[in-house]
Amino acid sequence: MITSTQNSRVKAVLALRGKARERKKQGLFIVEGPRMFAELPPEDLREVYVSSEYMRQHEAEAEQLLRGKMYEEVSGEVFRAMSDTQNPQGILAVARQKAWTLADVLGKSGGREAERPGARGGMIHRPPLLVILETLQDPGNLGTILRAGEGAGVTGVIMNEESADIYNPKVIRSTMGAIFRVPFLVTPDLRETIREIREMGIRVYAAHLHGTAAYEEMDYREPSGFLIGNEAAGLTEETAALADARVIIPMAGRVESLNAAIAASVLLFEAARQRRDRKDG
């Protein structure tokens, strides 16, 4: 059992937890909590740490989760130091980062209709549906967008390097497991990537306060992507100019705009509704 925060393995976990540069350098990130641990793909698991308190208080759950896995038990005090939350859940893993490509984000279809397994068997055909983020800074927003995106059926998420680190522990928690399933791409040149996907036949819609059409007036049944900008400044003019159309979410009352994650969710679920209607038709 590890009982000291000066232990080298503990220090390594703390570096991964706190430093995006270290996560990028090692290609690793931290996953916390029984639920997230259970959803972590086994092939991505690298190390497991469990608090002695968790082992004692949740013996049956711990036995099920840890069956067949190597793990290191640590004292409650050490685990609290390792954890990124105020109320640690007793289990923490070091995991391998994903290496998604643009083809993955497009549903491995290059702009053509992608396929995914249906809930009742068979295959569901769907055109690419993307979220494209420019300098999104809040980890909670980024995580929520991945979670909502999975619920709405996105094929992937694209973001620039100036956006929040997708492997930030706060982002990981906010995704509620979507981080393991939704392909994403961090691009060094967002505008060039937007040009590339447009050449593939994907229409890009910018969420914009000066949109020329209400969001529900557009047709998202074909390959589509939504551009979402920085929480405070929105999209840069240069990036917004690359969109096929600028759309606005009409507001009642004195509210001018929505939180970035909420706005993305509204747009994505409108696209999901339209695509369901097409199938029903």
Side-chain angles (χ1 to χ4, degrees):
M1 179 190 293
I2 297 176
T3 59
S4 172
T5 56
Q6 297 306 306
N7 180 281
S8 60
R9 296 179 69 183
V10 174
K11 288 183 176 180
V13 169
L14 291 174
L16 288 173
R17 189 197 77 185
K19 299 177 181 178
R21 181 171 58 184
E22 195 67 24
R23 292 191 289 270
K24 184 176 182 180
K25 176 183 175 182
Q26 296 194 41
L28 300 171
F29 68 107
I30 301 298
V31 174
E32 281 199 64
R35 177 174 177 177
M36 292 289 287
F37 180 77
E39 296 194 33
L40 176 63
E43 65 271 18
D44 294 334
L45 182 62
R46 292 296 177 267
E47 298 176 2
V48 184
Y49 297 89
V50 187
S51 78
S52 55
E53 296 170 353
Y54 175 74
M55 294 290 286
R56 184 174 64 255
Q57 296 170 8
H58 304 278
E59 183 178 355
E61 180 180 82
E63 181 180 353
Q64 180 179 359
L65 285 174
L66 299 171
R67 184 175 295 122
K69 299 179 176 67
M70 299 291 292
Y71 63 91
E72 186 74 51
E73 189 172 343
V74 304
S75 68
E77 180 182 357
V78 170
F79 194 89
R80 283 187 285 275
M82 297 170 72
S83 174
D84 189 61
T85 65
Q86 291 186 345
N87 299 298
Q89 298 181 59
I91 187 165
L92 178 152
V94 176
R96 177 180 65 92
Q97 295 185 10
K98 293 286 190 182
W100 302 107
T101 65
L102 181 58
D104 294 322
V105 169
L106 296 175
K108 297 183 180 179
S109 63
R112 296 182 300 277
E113 290 219 347
E115 293 185 336
R116 64 179 173 87
R120 300 180 181 178
M123 301 300 293
I124 296 175
H125 298 272
R126 57 175 180 164
L129 178 60
L130 306 175
V131 186
I132 307 164
L133 306 174
E134 183 182 38
T135 319
L136 199 77
Q137 293 290 292
D138 184 81
N141 277 337
L142 180 52
T144 300
I145 286 173
L146 259 75
R147 182 182 180 185
E150 182 179 28
V154 298
T155 54
V157 176
I158 297 172
M159 67 199 79
N160 61 351
E161 292 179 335
E162 292 74 28
S163 291
D165 176 25
I166 198 164
Y167 288 111
N168 180 303
K170 292 181 175 62
V171 176
I172 301 300
R173 289 197 301 275
S174 298
T175 68
M176 296 297 288
I179 186 74
F180 305 134
R181 298 179 293 270
V182 177
F184 56 86
L185 180 69
V186 180
T187 173
D189 191 335
L190 184 66
R191 292 167 194 161
E192 181 57 35
T193 301
I194 293 170
R195 294 186 188 98
E196 186 176 350
I197 64 174
R198 288 187 65 196
E199 289 175 359
M200 296 176 182
I202 297 173
R203 289 184 61 81
V204 175
Y205 301 90
H208 206 285
L209 287 176
H210 301 295
T212 55
Y215 75 101
E216 71 271 21
E217 296 174 0
M218 309 303 289
D219 185 350
Y220 308 123
R221 293 172 295 177
E222 299 305 317
S224 303
F226 293 112
L227 265 174
I228 306 294
N230 176 266
E231 290 89 347
L235 292 165
T236 61
E237 183 56 35
E238 293 83 358
T239 299
L242 296 175
D244 292 281
R246 302 185 187 195
V247 298
I248 188 169
I249 300 174
M251 296 284 107
R254 300 175 65 180
V255 175
E256 291 185 356
S257 63
L258 296 174
N259 165 279
I262 296 175
S265 299
V266 169
L267 296 171
L268 288 170
F269 279 94
E270 170 61 17
R273 182 195 66 78
Q274 291 185 15
R275 292 175 179 210
R276 283 196 306 273
D277 286 351
R278 180 173 70 174
K279 293 187 182 72
D280 293 342

